[in-house]
Amino acid sequence: SDGCLQQIRPLMPASLRPHVLAGPLEDADWCLLVRSTAASTKLRQLLPRFLERLADLGAPVRTIRLKVQSAGR
């Protein structure tokens, strides 16, 4: 999961990178943990690019979910 994040991180705007953590990867469904709703909205627009990059690299990811983390977590 961390390896997948490292592969897509260059596709993210620099201002969003600190707001994203790798979540679990289960049955080709990967979860990205996001620290704000605003960051989640922007990342949602980039999901097709992320999936394309991961497919090109042979990563076992077919879907990406975004989960907004509250400040206390």
Side-chain angles (χ1 to χ4, degrees), residues 32-52:
L32 287 176
L33 307 175
V34 186
R35 294 196 176 133
S36 75
T37 303
S40 175
T41 299
K42 179 59 180 171
L43 288 171
R44 191 167 307 283
Q45 298 170 2
L46 298 172
L47 290 181
R49 291 180 63 200
F50 295 166
L51 287 168
E52 183 179 343

Side-chain angles (χ1 to χ4, degrees), residues 2 8 16 18-19 26-27 37 40 43-44 55 57 67 73:
D2 287 328
I8 65 165
L16 290 181
H19 300 280
E26 298 172 352
D27 299 324
T37 303
S40 175
L43 288 171
R44 191 167 307 283
L57 297 170
K67 182 173 182 181
R73 292 184 182 176

Side-chain angles (χ1 to χ4, degrees), residues 55-72:
D56 288 347
L57 297 170
V61 177
R62 285 187 306 219
T63 59
I64 300 174
R65 292 181 296 115
L66 300 175
K67 182 173 182 181
V68 177
Q69 296 287 284
S70 63

